[in-house]
PDB file of all heavy atoms in Angstrom:
ATOM      1  N   ARG A  31      84.636  64.840 119.252  1.00 91.00           N
ATOM      2  CA  ARG A  31      83.540  64.778 120.225  1.00 91.00           C
ATOM      3  C   ARG A  31      83.995  65.201 121.616  1.00 91.00           C
ATOM      4  O   ARG A  31      83.246  65.823 122.344  1.00 91.00           O
ATOM      5  CB  ARG A  31      82.974  63.354 120.295  1.00 91.00           C
ATOM      6  CG  ARG A  31      82.302  62.876 119.022  1.00 91.00           C
ATOM      7  CD  ARG A  31      81.802  61.444 119.171  1.00 91.00           C
ATOM      8  NE  ARG A  31      80.885  61.311 120.296  1.00 91.00           N
ATOM      9  CZ  ARG A  31      81.164  60.645 121.432  1.00 91.00           C
ATOM     10  NH1 ARG A  31      82.348  60.066 121.584  1.00 91.00           N
ATOM     11  NH2 ARG A  31      80.276  60.555 122.392  1.00 91.00           N
ATOM     12  N   ARG A  32      85.203  64.838 121.991  1.00 92.00           N
ATOM     13  CA  ARG A  32      85.686  65.132 123.331  1.00 92.00           C
ATOM     14  C   ARG A  32      87.094  65.704 123.255  1.00 92.00           C
ATOM     15  O   ARG A  32      87.964  65.135 122.588  1.00 92.00           O
ATOM     16  CB  ARG A  32      85.703  63.866 124.199  1.00 92.00           C
ATOM     17  CG  ARG A  32      84.336  63.227 124.414  1.00 92.00           C
ATOM     18  CD  ARG A  32      83.453  64.100 125.304  1.00 92.00           C
ATOM     19  NE  ARG A  32      82.156  63.479 125.545  1.00 92.00           N
ATOM     20  CZ  ARG A  32      81.089  63.679 124.762  1.00 92.00           C
ATOM     21  NH1 ARG A  32      81.187  64.460 123.688  1.00 92.00           N
ATOM     22  NH2 ARG A  32      79.932  63.113 125.048  1.00 92.00           N
ATOM     23  N   ILE A  33      87.305  66.822 123.950  1.00 93.00           N
ATOM     24  CA  ILE A  33      88.624  67.454 124.024  1.00 93.00           C
ATOM     25  C   ILE A  33      88.968  67.652 125.494  1.00 93.00           C
ATOM     26  O   ILE A  33      88.169  68.198 126.257  1.00 93.00           O
ATOM     27  CB  ILE A  33      88.652  68.810 123.297  1.00 93.00           C
ATOM     28  CG1 ILE A  33      88.298  68.634 121.822  1.00 93.00           C
ATOM     29  CG2 ILE A  33      90.022  69.473 123.441  1.00 93.00           C
ATOM     30  CD1 ILE A  33      88.185  69.949 121.072  1.00 93.00           C
ATOM     31  N   MET A  34      90.148  67.200 125.881  1.00 94.00           N
ATOM     32  CA  MET A  34      90.593  67.332 127.262  1.00 94.00           C
ATOM     33  C   MET A  34      91.885  68.127 127.319  1.00 94.00           C
ATOM     34  O   MET A  34      92.862  67.786 126.654  1.00 94.00           O
ATOM     35  CB  MET A  34      90.840  65.956 127.887  1.00 94.00           C
ATOM     36  CG  MET A  34      91.295  65.989 129.339  1.00 94.00           C
ATOM     37  SD  MET A  34      89.926  66.341 130.447  1.00 94.00           S
ATOM     38  CE  MET A  34      90.788  66.578 132.005  1.00 94.00           C
ATOM     39  N   PHE A  35      91.892  69.217 128.076  1.00 95.00           N
ATOM     40  CA  PHE A  35      93.111  69.956 128.397  1.00 95.00           C
ATOM     41  C   PHE A  35      93.368  69.754 129.888  1.00 95.00           C
ATOM     42  O   PHE A  35      92.603  70.222 130.732  1.00 95.00           O
ATOM     43  CB  PHE A  35      92.969  71.441 128.092  1.00 95.00           C
ATOM     44  CG  PHE A  35      93.240  71.802 126.666  1.00 95.00           C
ATOM     45  CD1 PHE A  35      92.223  71.793 125.742  1.00 95.00           C
ATOM     46  CD2 PHE A  35      94.518  72.134 126.252  1.00 95.00           C
ATOM     47  CE1 PHE A  35      92.460  72.114 124.416  1.00 95.00           C
ATOM     48  CE2 PHE A  35      94.772  72.459 124.927  1.00 95.00           C
ATOM     49  CZ  PHE A  35      93.746  72.449 124.009  1.00 95.00           C
ATOM     50  N   LEU A  36      94.434  69.055 130.195  1.00 96.00           N
ATOM     51  CA  LEU A  36      94.776  68.773 131.581  1.00 96.00           C
ATOM     52  C   LEU A  36      96.026  69.572 131.939  1.00 96.00           C
ATOM     53  O   LEU A  36      97.101  69.332 131.382  1.00 96.00           O
ATOM     54  CB  LEU A  36      95.018  67.277 131.770  1.00 96.00           C
ATOM     55  CG  LEU A  36      95.065  66.745 133.193  1.00 96.00           C
ATOM     56  CD1 LEU A  36      93.736  66.976 133.897  1.00 96.00           C
ATOM     57  CD2 LEU A  36      95.393  65.260 133.192  1.00 96.00           C
ATOM     58  N   ILE A  37      95.871  70.525 132.839  1.00 96.00           N
ATOM     59  CA  ILE A  37      96.980  71.389 133.243  1.00 96.00           C
ATOM     60  C   ILE A  37      97.515  70.884 134.573  1.00 96.00           C
ATOM     61  O   ILE A  37      96.776  70.842 135.570  1.00 96.00           O
ATOM     62  CB  ILE A  37      96.534  72.861 133.353  1.00 96.00           C
ATOM     63  CG1 ILE A  37      96.122  73.386 131.977  1.00 96.00           C
ATOM     64  CG2 ILE A  37      97.648  73.716 133.918  1.00 96.00           C
ATOM     65  CD1 ILE A  37      94.645  73.387 131.738  1.00 96.00           C
ATOM     66  N   VAL A  38      98.764  70.484 134.596  1.00 96.00           N
ATOM     67  CA  VAL A  38      99.387  69.923 135.794  1.00 96.00           C
ATOM     68  C   VAL A  38     100.171  71.038 136.483  1.00 96.00           C
ATOM     69  O   VAL A  38     101.204  71.496 135.991  1.00 96.00           O
ATOM     70  CB  VAL A  38     100.309  68.745 135.434  1.00 96.00           C
ATOM     71  CG1 VAL A  38     100.838  68.083 136.706  1.00 96.00           C
ATOM     72  CG2 VAL A  38      99.558  67.716 134.585  1.00 96.00           C
ATOM     73  N   ASP A  39      99.659  71.468 137.626  1.00 94.00           N
ATOM     74  CA  ASP A  39     100.173  72.647 138.324  1.00 94.00           C
ATOM     75  C   ASP A  39     101.026  72.223 139.516  1.00 94.00           C
ATOM     76  O   ASP A  39     100.521  71.704 140.505  1.00 94.00           O
ATOM     77  CB  ASP A  39      98.992  73.510 138.792  1.00 94.00           C
ATOM     78  CG  ASP A  39      99.426  74.756 139.542  1.00 94.00           C
ATOM     79  OD1 ASP A  39     100.636  75.050 139.560  1.00 94.00           O
ATOM     80  OD2 ASP A  39      98.542  75.441 140.110  1.00 94.00           O
ATOM     81  N   SER A  40     102.324  72.472 139.419  1.00 90.00           N
ATOM     82  CA  SER A  40     103.245  72.173 140.525  1.00 90.00           C
ATOM     83  C   SER A  40     103.824  73.452 141.093  1.00 90.00           C
ATOM     84  O   SER A  40     104.937  73.465 141.632  1.00 90.00           O
ATOM     85  CB  SER A  40     104.381  71.260 140.038  1.00 90.00           C
ATOM     86  OG  SER A  40     103.882  70.145 139.346  1.00 90.00           O
ATOM     87  N   GLY A  41     103.092  74.543 140.953  1.00 77.00           N
ATOM     88  CA  GLY A  41     103.579  75.846 141.375  1.00 77.00           C
ATOM     89  C   GLY A  41     103.797  75.951 142.867  1.00 77.00           C
ATOM     90  O   GLY A  41     103.321  75.136 143.661  1.00 77.00           O
ATOM     91  N   ARG A  42     104.518  76.992 143.237  1.00 68.00           N
ATOM     92  CA  ARG A  42     104.881  77.210 144.637  1.00 68.00           C
ATOM     93  C   ARG A  42     103.723  77.804 145.427  1.00 68.00           C
ATOM     94  O   ARG A  42     103.093  78.759 144.991  1.00 68.00           O
ATOM     95  CB  ARG A  42     106.069  78.174 144.724  1.00 68.00           C
ATOM     96  CG  ARG A  42     107.359  77.598 144.262  1.00 68.00           C
ATOM     97  CD  ARG A  42     108.355  78.680 143.897  1.00 68.00           C
ATOM     98  NE  ARG A  42     108.438  79.737 144.893  1.00 68.00           N
ATOM     99  CZ  ARG A  42     109.213  79.708 145.978  1.00 68.00           C
ATOM    100  NH1 ARG A  42     109.938  78.643 146.211  1.00 68.00           N
ATOM    101  NH2 ARG A  42     109.273  80.726 146.803  1.00 68.00           N
ATOM    102  N   GLY A  43     103.456  77.247 146.584  1.00 64.00           N
ATOM    103  CA  GLY A  43     102.489  77.829 147.495  1.00 64.00           C
ATOM    104  C   GLY A  43     103.153  78.882 148.372  1.00 64.00           C
ATOM    105  O   GLY A  43     104.375  79.072 148.333  1.00 64.00           O
ATOM    106  N   PRO A  44     102.372  79.589 149.186  1.00 62.00           N
ATOM    107  CA  PRO A  44     102.957  80.578 150.107  1.00 62.00           C
ATOM    108  C   PRO A  44     103.958  79.912 151.033  1.00 62.00           C
ATOM    109  O   PRO A  44     103.794  78.755 151.443  1.00 62.00           O
ATOM    110  CB  PRO A  44     101.733  81.094 150.875  1.00 62.00           C
ATOM    111  CG  PRO A  44     100.564  80.817 149.995  1.00 62.00           C
ATOM    112  CD  PRO A  44     100.906  79.544 149.274  1.00 62.00           C
ATOM    113  N   SER A  45     105.017  80.639 151.385  1.00 64.00           N
ATOM    114  CA  SER A  45     106.049  80.090 152.267  1.00 64.00           C
ATOM    115  C   SER A  45     106.464  81.138 153.282  1.00 64.00           C
ATOM    116  O   SER A  45     106.258  82.347 153.087  1.00 64.00           O
ATOM    117  CB  SER A  45     107.265  79.629 151.448  1.00 64.00           C
ATOM    118  OG  SER A  45     107.825  80.723 150.740  1.00 64.00           O
ATOM    119  N   GLY A  46     107.068  80.675 154.388  1.00 64.00           N
ATOM    120  CA  GLY A  46     107.507  81.579 155.435  1.00 64.00           C
ATOM    121  C   GLY A  46     106.391  81.884 156.423  1.00 64.00           C
ATOM    122  O   GLY A  46     105.221  81.590 156.184  1.00 64.00           O
ATOM    123  N   ASN A  47     106.776  82.487 157.543  1.00 67.00           N
ATOM    124  CA  ASN A  47     105.790  82.810 158.573  1.00 67.00           C
ATOM    125  C   ASN A  47     105.627  84.302 158.781  1.00 67.00           C
ATOM    126  O   ASN A  47     105.004  84.735 159.743  1.00 67.00           O
ATOM    127  CB  ASN A  47     106.175  82.137 159.903  1.00 67.00           C
ATOM    128  CG  ASN A  47     107.521  82.630 160.425  1.00 67.00           C
ATOM    129  OD1 ASN A  47     108.209  83.422 159.770  1.00 67.00           O
ATOM    130  ND2 ASN A  47     107.903  82.164 161.599  1.00 67.00           N
ATOM    131  N   TRP A  48     106.196  85.107 157.869  1.00 66.00           N
ATOM    132  CA  TRP A  48     106.129  86.554 158.080  1.00 66.00           C
ATOM    133  C   TRP A  48     104.716  87.099 157.905  1.00 66.00           C
ATOM    134  O   TRP A  48     104.427  88.227 158.319  1.00 66.00           O
ATOM    135  CB  TRP A  48     107.119  87.287 157.164  1.00 66.00           C
ATOM    136  CG  TRP A  48     107.109  86.874 155.719  1.00 66.00           C
ATOM    137  CD1 TRP A  48     107.904  85.937 155.132  1.00 66.00           C
ATOM    138  CD2 TRP A  48     106.274  87.369 154.678  1.00 66.00           C
ATOM    139  NE1 TRP A  48     107.627  85.820 153.790  1.00 66.00           N
ATOM    140  CE2 TRP A  48     106.627  86.700 153.480  1.00 66.00           C
ATOM    141  CE3 TRP A  48     105.278  88.332 154.623  1.00 66.00           C
ATOM    142  CZ2 TRP A  48     106.005  86.951 152.262  1.00 66.00           C
ATOM    143  CZ3 TRP A  48     104.652  88.595 153.422  1.00 66.00           C
ATOM    144  CH2 TRP A  48     105.008  87.901 152.252  1.00 66.00           C
ATOM    145  N   GLY A  49     103.821  86.297 157.324  1.00 72.00           N
ATOM    146  CA  GLY A  49     102.439  86.731 157.232  1.00 72.00           C
ATOM    147  C   GLY A  49     101.717  86.681 158.565  1.00 72.00           C
ATOM    148  O   GLY A  49     100.618  87.224 158.708  1.00 72.00           O
ATOM    149  N   GLN A  50     102.332  86.006 159.570  1.00 74.00           N
ATOM    150  CA  GLN A  50     101.735  85.892 160.893  1.00 74.00           C
ATOM    151  C   GLN A  50     102.377  86.831 161.901  1.00 74.00           C
ATOM    152  O   GLN A  50     101.996  86.836 163.073  1.00 74.00           O
ATOM    153  CB  GLN A  50     101.872  84.443 161.402  1.00 74.00           C
ATOM    154  CG  GLN A  50     101.327  83.387 160.465  1.00 74.00           C
ATOM    155  CD  GLN A  50      99.838  83.536 160.237  1.00 74.00           C
ATOM    156  OE1 GLN A  50      99.109  83.960 161.139  1.00 74.00           O
ATOM    157  NE2 GLN A  50      99.376  83.209 159.034  1.00 74.00           N
ATOM    158  N   GLU A  51     103.339  87.606 161.477  1.00 77.00           N
ATOM    159  CA  GLU A  51     104.078  88.480 162.387  1.00 77.00           C
ATOM    160  C   GLU A  51     104.117  89.894 161.843  1.00 77.00           C
ATOM    161  O   GLU A  51     103.989  90.119 160.626  1.00 77.00           O
ATOM    162  CB  GLU A  51     105.516  87.967 162.555  1.00 77.00           C
ATOM    163  CG  GLU A  51     105.605  86.533 163.055  1.00 77.00           C
ATOM    164  CD  GLU A  51     107.022  85.994 162.999  1.00 77.00           C
ATOM    165  OE1 GLU A  51     107.886  86.678 162.393  1.00 77.00           O
ATOM    166  OE2 GLU A  51     107.264  84.898 163.544  1.00 77.00           O
ATOM    167  N   LEU A  52     104.299  90.855 162.723  1.00 77.00           N
ATOM    168  CA  LEU A  52     104.384  92.247 162.286  1.00 77.00           C
ATOM    169  C   LEU A  52     105.652  92.518 161.475  1.00 77.00           C
ATOM    170  O   LEU A  52     105.590  93.142 160.419  1.00 77.00           O
ATOM    171  CB  LEU A  52     104.306  93.190 163.497  1.00 77.00           C
ATOM    172  CG  LEU A  52     104.381  94.689 163.170  1.00 77.00           C
ATOM    173  CD1 LEU A  52     103.225  95.090 162.256  1.00 77.00           C
ATOM    174  CD2 LEU A  52     104.356  95.507 164.455  1.00 77.00           C
ATOM    175  N   PRO A  53     106.830  92.058 161.905  1.00 77.00           N
ATOM    176  CA  PRO A  53     108.032  92.277 161.087  1.00 77.00           C
ATOM    177  C   PRO A  53     108.003  91.437 159.814  1.00 77.00           C
ATOM    178  O   PRO A  53     107.309  90.419 159.725  1.00 77.00           O
ATOM    179  CB  PRO A  53     109.170  91.819 162.011  1.00 77.00           C
ATOM    180  CG  PRO A  53     108.592  91.747 163.370  1.00 77.00           C
ATOM    181  CD  PRO A  53     107.151  91.424 163.196  1.00 77.00           C
ATOM    182  N   GLY A  54     108.806  91.849 158.865  1.00 70.00           N
ATOM    183  CA  GLY A  54     108.970  91.068 157.639  1.00 70.00           C
ATOM    184  C   GLY A  54     108.020  91.519 156.544  1.00 70.00           C
ATOM    185  O   GLY A  54     107.085  92.270 156.805  1.00 70.00           O
ATOM    186  N   PRO A  55     108.256  91.058 155.337  1.00 76.00           N
ATOM    187  CA  PRO A  55     109.311  90.103 154.974  1.00 76.00           C
ATOM    188  C   PRO A  55     110.686  90.739 154.934  1.00 76.00           C
ATOM    189  O   PRO A  55     110.814  91.957 154.773  1.00 76.00           O
ATOM    190  CB  PRO A  55     108.886  89.655 153.576  1.00 76.00           C
ATOM    191  CG  PRO A  55     108.136  90.827 153.022  1.00 76.00           C
ATOM    192  CD  PRO A  55     107.418  91.434 154.190  1.00 76.00           C
ATOM    193  N   THR A  56     111.713  89.915 155.063  1.00 71.00           N
ATOM    194  CA  THR A  56     113.080  90.390 154.920  1.00 71.00           C
ATOM    195  C   THR A  56     113.344  90.725 153.451  1.00 71.00           C
ATOM    196  O   THR A  56     112.514  90.446 152.573  1.00 71.00           O
ATOM    197  CB  THR A  56     114.072  89.316 155.380  1.00 71.00           C
ATOM    198  OG1 THR A  56     113.949  88.182 154.495  1.00 71.00           O
ATOM    199  CG2 THR A  56     113.785  88.864 156.798  1.00 71.00           C
ATOM    200  N   GLY A  57     114.506  91.279 153.193  1.00 64.00           N
ATOM    201  CA  GLY A  57     114.827  91.638 151.817  1.00 64.00           C
ATOM    202  C   GLY A  57     114.795  90.454 150.884  1.00 64.00           C
ATOM    203  O   GLY A  57     114.256  90.515 149.774  1.00 64.00           O
ATOM    204  N   VAL A  58     115.357  89.303 151.321  1.00 60.00           N
ATOM    205  CA  VAL A  58     115.369  88.108 150.489  1.00 60.00           C
ATOM    206  C   VAL A  58     113.942  87.618 150.256  1.00 60.00           C
ATOM    207  O   VAL A  58     113.546  87.298 149.133  1.00 60.00           O
ATOM    208  CB  VAL A  58     116.223  86.996 151.146  1.00 60.00           C
ATOM    209  CG1 VAL A  58     116.078  85.693 150.376  1.00 60.00           C
ATOM    210  CG2 VAL A  58     117.681  87.415 151.203  1.00 60.00           C
ATOM    211  N   ASP A  59     113.156  87.547 151.342  1.00 67.00           N
ATOM    212  CA  ASP A  59     111.762  87.109 151.204  1.00 67.00           C
ATOM    213  C   ASP A  59     110.977  88.048 150.307  1.00 67.00           C
ATOM    214  O   ASP A  59     110.093  87.612 149.555  1.00 67.00           O
ATOM    215  CB  ASP A  59     111.092  87.030 152.574  1.00 67.00           C
ATOM    216  CG  ASP A  59     111.557  85.836 153.388  1.00 67.00           C
ATOM    217  OD1 ASP A  59     111.962  84.840 152.773  1.00 67.00           O
ATOM    218  OD2 ASP A  59     111.509  85.910 154.636  1.00 67.00           O
ATOM    219  N   LEU A  60     111.296  89.335 150.389  1.00 65.00           N
ATOM    220  CA  LEU A  60     110.571  90.314 149.587  1.00 65.00           C
ATOM    221  C   LEU A  60     110.841  90.119 148.101  1.00 65.00           C
ATOM    222  O   LEU A  60     109.923  90.185 147.271  1.00 65.00           O
ATOM    223  CB  LEU A  60     110.968  91.733 150.008  1.00 65.00           C
ATOM    224  CG  LEU A  60     110.172  92.888 149.394  1.00 65.00           C
ATOM    225  CD1 LEU A  60     108.703  92.772 149.780  1.00 65.00           C
ATOM    226  CD2 LEU A  60     110.738  94.216 149.859  1.00 65.00           C
ATOM    227  N   VAL A  61     112.107  89.850 147.758  1.00 62.00           N
ATOM    228  CA  VAL A  61     112.445  89.596 146.363  1.00 62.00           C
ATOM    229  C   VAL A  61     111.686  88.375 145.848  1.00 62.00           C
ATOM    230  O   VAL A  61     111.074  88.391 144.771  1.00 62.00           O
ATOM    231  CB  VAL A  61     113.969  89.392 146.195  1.00 62.00           C
ATOM    232  CG1 VAL A  61     114.287  88.892 144.797  1.00 62.00           C
ATOM    233  CG2 VAL A  61     114.712  90.700 146.472  1.00 62.00           C
TER     234      VAL A  61
END
């Protein structure tokens, strides 16, 4: 009668501030 699929998402959100600046991302951030 009832089926529940509960997906627990602990994924990474956006990080760093290069989205707010003209330079970047650096090579490490780009990878």
Side-chain angles (χ1 to χ4, degrees):
R31 295 179 57 249
R32 298 291 182 270
I33 300 175
M34 181 76 189
F35 276 89
L36 194 62
I37 295 99
V38 186
D39 179 9
S40 310
R42 289 159 47 86
S45 60
N47 62 356
W48 48 267
Q50 306 298 327
E51 303 171 350
L52 180 60
T56 64
V58 172
D59 286 333
L60 188 61
V61 170

